[in-house]
Amino acid sequence: MTETVERVDVLIAGGGYVGLSAALAIAASVPGARVALVDPRPWREASGDGRAFAVAAAGRRMLGALGVWDGLSGEAEPVREMIITDSRLDDLIRPVFLTFERQEGNDGPLAHMLPTGPLVAALGAAAEKSGVRFLSPDSVAATEPLPGGRRVTLASGRTMLASLVVAADGARSRLRAEAGIGVNSWSYGQSGIVATIEHERPHDGRAEEHFLPAGPFAVLPLKGGRRSSLVWSERSDIAGRLVGGEPFLFDTELARRLGHRLGKLSVVGKRQAFPLGLALARRFTAERLALVGDAAHAIHPIAGQGLNLGFKDAAALAEVVAGALRAGRDPGAADVLGDYQRWRGFDTIRMAAMTDGLNRLFSNDLLPLRLVRDLGLGLIDRLPPVKRALIAAAAGAPGPTPRLVDGEPI
Ligand SMILES: Cc1cc2nc3c(=O)[nH]c(=O)nc-3n(C[C@H](O)[C@H](O)[C@H](O)COP(=O)(O)OP(=O)(O)OC[C@H]3O[C@@H](n4cnc5c(N)ncnc54)[C@H](O)[C@@H]3O)c2cc1C
């Protein structure tokens, strides 16, 4: 008896921020495309992970082109100004070395801070409406390339045949490992402590990043004016003690780093620590397989760019896949995947190198290095063209951009 296997055009393993975006982008661009998404947790049950992401202008334009930004904009806080300081922990005064301001009307703010809960809900609802088939709760147990498709075996025992499998299963991607794709990776020995704080005085849309010897400490404005999100890098053992220890210890260390500008502080919700490292896949594709998001590249959050890179992966992949499907071609063909790999490779390496270099340059307390970097920051602050180039890079502008990232439908 022959086994009947269900066939789809694209199967996406992983319903995180990037997997959902890729599923939505493909399904919304090619009505009738058979797109399935597998994740152990149904999107309706995912209420976010307590973080808020800095979504750059490129990501915002993409969410707009996918029809989800209007529903999200009420949850998003524009970042109108960012200051950067380079100081020791107990310095009473932290001189500001670099300030970025973006005027409304000049392509909007530097970024928007968006809580993860509403982001997942908006992407999930839009993907469902566009016809994405959700296979949740379930997970991809194994995949195997066959002539004409990749066979996917789910943990439930169900098997499917997909012309293209998309690995959106995060930094520890099982699908990447199974396909034999190596990674260049190292740990920073740091963890990113994440928490939401309430404060007495308004943030006025200002983000701060203090380069402290243990790593960057960022305070990012949230909706409502008196709430901010912390991304605080510390040595992993210390981060573990701060997150798992007495709230009093956490609050004391927080106040040492934050100073008095925002007045009285209190932590709302949970304190979490995420181990930080760099993991860059050596290839973004294998036979009938494409990696997107953290499965392809996990980078340091120093510049808040990981998800923004993932959005660009989703947009680029959707564009090449939509081109193939509309032409009646195989979306998993080697030349289609080659286009994707070429499109995303350079941009990703550039951003990984930038975040890695910044973290190494600033996460230390060597005096000669401090002097050189402070001189560098001071110089940048006085050179408007260099500042503009940095703002453009943070906004996701350089390189040929996928249409969705330009805010246009595919
Ligand atoms: C502290 C911190 C702060 C950050 N701040 C920012 C920021 O401000 N801006 C920014 O752009 N980026 C930021 N990032 C980066 C951002 O978090 C990641 O780039 C983003 O979460 C990657 O999303 P993803 O969908 O690729 O992976 P994930 O969010 O890890 O999702 C992976 C999904 O795959 C599913 N899965 C796993 N295995 C399987 C399987 N076998 N089968 C099916 N499904 C599976 C999981 O359940 C999960 O839903 C930050 C990161 C950290 C650590």
Side-chain angles (χ1 to χ4, degrees), residues 221-235:
L222 295 178
K223 197 82 201 161
R226 286 185 162 79
R227 280 192 320 137
S228 294
S229 175
L230 299 178
V231 183
W232 168 2
S233 309
E234 274 294 341
R235 250 179 38 204

Side-chain angles (χ1 to χ4, degrees), residues 126-214:
E128 200 166 80
K129 209 166 143 204
S130 299
V132 174
R133 207 166 125 219
F134 283 89
L135 301 169
S136 295
D138 211 334
S139 64
V140 172
T143 76
E144 181 197 0
L146 300 175
R150 196 172 255 271
R151 190 195 355 226
V152 179
T153 307
L154 304 186
S156 59
R158 184 179 203 152
T159 55
M160 303 180 86
L161 190 68
S163 302
L164 173 65
V165 174
V166 179
D169 53 342
R172 295 205 188 110
S173 173
R174 173 184 193 136
L175 277 82
R176 180 185 67 206
E178 189 200 46
I181 300 179
V183 272
N184 292 324
S185 65
W186 48 84
S187 161
Y188 291 119
Q190 295 170 321
S191 291
I193 300 174
V194 176
T196 302
I197 53 169
E198 267 172 7
H199 36 81
E200 194 182 9
R201 290 200 274 276
H203 51 56
D204 297 324
R206 182 162 101 158
E208 293 181 12
E209 187 150 29
H210 301 285
F211 289 127
L212 299 172

Side-chain angles (χ1 to χ4, degrees), residues 42-107:
W43 67 265
R44 284 179 201 285
E45 289 171 20
S47 56
D49 56 14
R51 283 184 291 175
F53 290 138
V55 174
R60 189 193 68 232
R61 286 194 297 269
M62 170 169 151
L63 294 173
L66 291 174
V68 293
W69 180 254
D70 283 350
L72 279 172
S73 57
E75 309 278 351
E77 176 70 15
V79 180
R80 299 179 194 287
E81 184 193 6
M82 170 144 203
I83 62 152
I84 293 180
T85 76
D86 182 14
S87 29
R88 294 200 175 92
L89 188 51
D90 292 314
D91 287 353
L92 284 180
I93 296 174
R94 297 207 175 136
V96 173
F97 283 103
L98 199 53
T99 317
F100 292 111
E101 285 170 56
R102 190 76 171 249
Q103 302 299 319
E104 282 292 354
N106 181 17
D107 198 26

Side-chain angles (χ1 to χ4, degrees), residues 14 17-18 38-40 51 53-54 140 168-169 293-294 304-308:
Y17 317 102
V18 180
V38 185
D39 196 284
R51 283 184 291 175
F53 290 138
V140 172
D169 53 342
D294 278 18
Q305 290 296 326
L307 176 63
N308 288 293

Side-chain angles (χ1 to χ4, degrees), residues 372-396:
V372 171
R373 71 197 186 205
D374 292 350
L375 188 68
L377 287 180
L379 275 176
I380 291 172
D381 208 31
R382 274 172 229 112
L383 287 174
V386 180
K387 271 176 84 166
R388 276 199 296 275
L390 283 174
I391 290 178

